[in-house]
Amino acid sequence: MNEITSILESIPVDPLTGAIAVPIYQTSTYVQEAPNVNKGFDYTRTNNPTRNILEEIIAKLEGGKYGLAFSSGLAAIDCVVKLLNAGDEVLAVDDIYGGAYRLFTTVYNRFGINIKFVDTTDPENVQNAISPKTKLIWLESPTNPLLKVSDIRKISEIAKANNIIVCVDNTFATPISQKPLNLGADIVLHSATKYLGGHTDVLAGLTVTNSDELGEELKYIQNATGGVLAPFDSWLIIRSLATLKLRVEKHSANALKVAEFLEERPEIKDLYYPGLKNHPDFSVASKQQSLPGGIVSFSLNEDTEENAVRFVTSTKLFKLAESLGGAKSLLCHPPSMTHKSIPRENRLEAGISDSLIRLSVGLEDADDLINDIKQALSKIINKNETVEVN
Ligand SMILES: *Cc1c(COP(=O)(O)O)cnc(C)c1O
């Protein structure tokens, strides 16, 4: 049976009314018959029926046992990092999400948790960077914005041999395309603000693990620190999950068409899309992902910030905005937007050039999106001779 169908079928219909949609239990507390004699609920920070259903669905969808829902992706990251102690070290993918970079380098450093960045596309770099202090390996695959892919299975094997926890931020791939727990990771994490929410109208974060020990610890920290997802926002994510497979398939098909179009254009310098054969990580991506995803990044041959700004202010369907993964196509200029907290020198070193543009390809018709890109390309400075491609 279709995986999402069978997961949604496993959620019991509301026993009180038979409501077909999951009810929103908009309550902070629950009446008790006597102290600690209740129906399994005492306070919404600890448990809420609507949030619990979302946590159960995401656990099943990621092939895990314990799911948790948070008020944002960063709140989920915060919960995972709080598994660590002062003096511990994190090894992280060098092309890490900008908000996670900021959190690790300006907040956790003050608590004695240090981070080392590694090019994780080669598992050997991970092996070589491990020290006795390393307690957590932080992967994103594909990454934001360069779509680098890391071999989750190989890195998880290295981690296991060294007693290190592996957490994979699966926001870009989604569980429809990639299931990190099945590849050996210990924790999988989402900014559900992106594809899982899918309609650019809610912030949410999720974690899933298979380990009884990690499941219990994460639940304890979630309740102790309190960054839980509200009942209504939990309901929005539940509602969106029914269409997740359809959406991710369409995002991927559209993005592949856009990438193939850009591949032929003379205005483009570098093109990043793991569904193209000349992407450096194409073979790992094809092994661990069933779909290449909806994000395409590229730089311009006239590689300046001004030129990128010309492009991002010329598109009509692609709206200039942070975030990604929604029905509506968005684009952004990471150097001046999502990655502005990374110093230019470090950014260039990481391969994020001044004109880098990231597309979040939406659910519109691919032809309309390509026409929009075509007209925006006619507005920019092009160092090469333009060849009309039909
Ligand atoms: C957006 C994002 C986050 C942070 O999630 P929020 O919901 O914005 O807090 C983390 N990781 C990745 C890959 C993201 O794209």
Side-chain angles (χ1 to χ4, degrees):
M1 198 193 286
N2 173 305
E3 189 187 22
I4 296 225
T5 309
S6 92
I7 292 170
L8 295 179
E9 281 294 308
S10 75
I11 303 300
V13 166
D14 173 43
L16 210 60
T17 64
I20 191 106
V22 170
I24 303 170
Y25 283 88
Q26 191 71 37
T27 185
S28 62
T29 193
Y30 309 83
V31 175
Q32 312 203 17
E33 284 168 38
N36 302 313
V37 181
N38 55 52
K39 297 183 158 65
F41 296 93
D42 53 16
Y43 193 57
T44 275
R45 175 162 27 72
T46 316
N47 280 302
N48 174 278
T50 312
R51 191 178 83 232
N52 289 7
I53 287 175
L54 170 60
E55 293 176 336
E56 190 182 332
I57 295 173
I58 188 62
K60 287 180 173 165
L61 194 51
E62 282 289 3
K65 284 210 291 213
Y66 306 101
L68 293 174
F70 299 86
S71 54
S72 70
L74 277 170
I77 295 176
D78 185 52
C79 185
V80 173
V81 178
K82 282 178 176 152
L83 291 167
L84 304 181
N85 296 305
D88 291 349
E89 197 172 78
V90 183
L91 287 188
V93 55
D94 54 2
D95 190 26
I96 196 171
Y97 169 70
Y101 177 89
R102 183 177 54 199
L103 180 61
F104 277 114
T105 57
T106 67
V107 179
Y108 290 129
N109 61 325
R110 294 195 282 112
F111 294 86
I113 294 170
N114 293 311
I115 186 156
K116 231 194 290 183
F117 294 102
V118 200
D119 177 0
T120 55
T121 55
D122 182 354
E124 206 145 293
N125 295 339
V126 176
Q127 177 75 62
N128 294 337
I130 289 174
S131 84
K133 289 182 177 172
T134 313
K135 292 289 148 56
L136 174 65
I137 293 176
W138 193 272
L139 297 178
E140 285 175 35
S141 189
T143 60
N144 176 24
L146 294 177
L147 290 314
K148 289 191 191 180
V149 176
S150 296
D151 192 324
I152 297 170
R153 191 184 290 280
K154 276 205 185 125
I155 293 172
S156 298
E157 280 165 11
I158 294 169
K160 214 140 271 156
N162 291 277
N163 225 354
I164 300 168
I165 298 167
V166 174
C167 179
V168 178
D169 183 331
N170 204 27
T171 299
F172 273 40
T174 82
I176 299 300
S177 169
Q178 167 174 287
K179 296 196 200 295
L181 299 181
N182 293 350
L183 297 167
D186 301 290
I187 301 168
V188 57
L189 180 141
H190 285 279
S191 168
T193 309
K194 316 295 167 54
Y195 288 103
L196 304 198
H199 297 73
T200 3
D201 52 13
V202 59
L203 280 185
L206 300 165
T207 62
V208 181
T209 182
N210 251 324
S211 146
D212 295 336
E213 194 187 330
L214 288 174
E216 198 175 310
E217 268 187 84
L218 288 170
K219 171 83 187 170
Y220 180 87
I221 298 167
Q222 182 199 38
N223 182 53
T225 56
V228 293
L229 192 61
F232 178 62
D233 293 351
S234 300
W235 182 87
L236 280 170
I237 305 288
I238 294 169
R239 192 212 29 185
S240 294
L241 289 176
T243 56
L244 182 65
K245 183 163 186 280
L246 288 176
R247 289 186 286 108
V248 171
E249 285 170 354
K250 175 75 170 168
H251 282 297
S252 268
N254 275 357
L256 181 61
K257 284 185 188 159
V258 165
E260 283 170 348
F261 166 78
L262 290 170
E263 205 174 17
E264 303 297 325
R265 294 295 302 204
E267 299 91 340
I268 308 304
K269 186 168 156 222
D270 293 309
L271 177 61
Y272 306 91
Y273 187 64
L276 293 178
K277 288 205 176 63
N278 59 10
H279 186 284
D281 308 320
F282 177 77
S283 75
V284 183
S286 331
K287 229 174 30 187
Q288 65 189 17
Q289 293 174 228
S290 64
L291 293 164
I295 308 295
V296 180
S297 295
F298 59 93
S299 61
L300 303 171
N301 66 32
E302 167 70 18
D303 189 6
T304 60
E305 181 162 335
E306 302 78 70
N307 209 29
V309 170
R310 253 178 230 118
F311 184 88
V312 300
T313 53
S314 297
T315 52
K316 305 235 155 38
L317 288 178
F318 283 91
K319 304 292 184 208
L320 180 60
E322 303 210 351
S323 201
L324 55 101
K328 194 183 267 302
S329 287
L330 301 179
L331 88 176
C332 83
H333 176 238
S336 63
M337 297 170 72
T338 53
H339 289 59
K340 65 171 175 279
S341 59
I342 303 179
R344 180 168 185 263
E345 207 172 296
N346 301 14
R347 169 169 63 69
L348 292 178
E349 209 173 301
I352 303 174
S353 63
D354 292 334
S355 71
L356 193 84
I357 292 161
R358 185 190 73 193
L359 304 179
S360 170
V361 181
L363 302 179
E364 302 89 343
D365 281 356
D367 287 348
D368 294 336
L369 295 175
I370 288 170
N371 283 334
D372 191 30
I373 294 170
K374 229 188 241 179
Q375 66 79 25
L377 285 174
S378 73
K379 309 278 166 57
I380 67 167
I381 294 171
N382 175 26
K383 283 208 301 207
N384 298 337
E385 198 191 327
T386 309
V387 196
E388 239 340 286
V389 185
N390 295 310

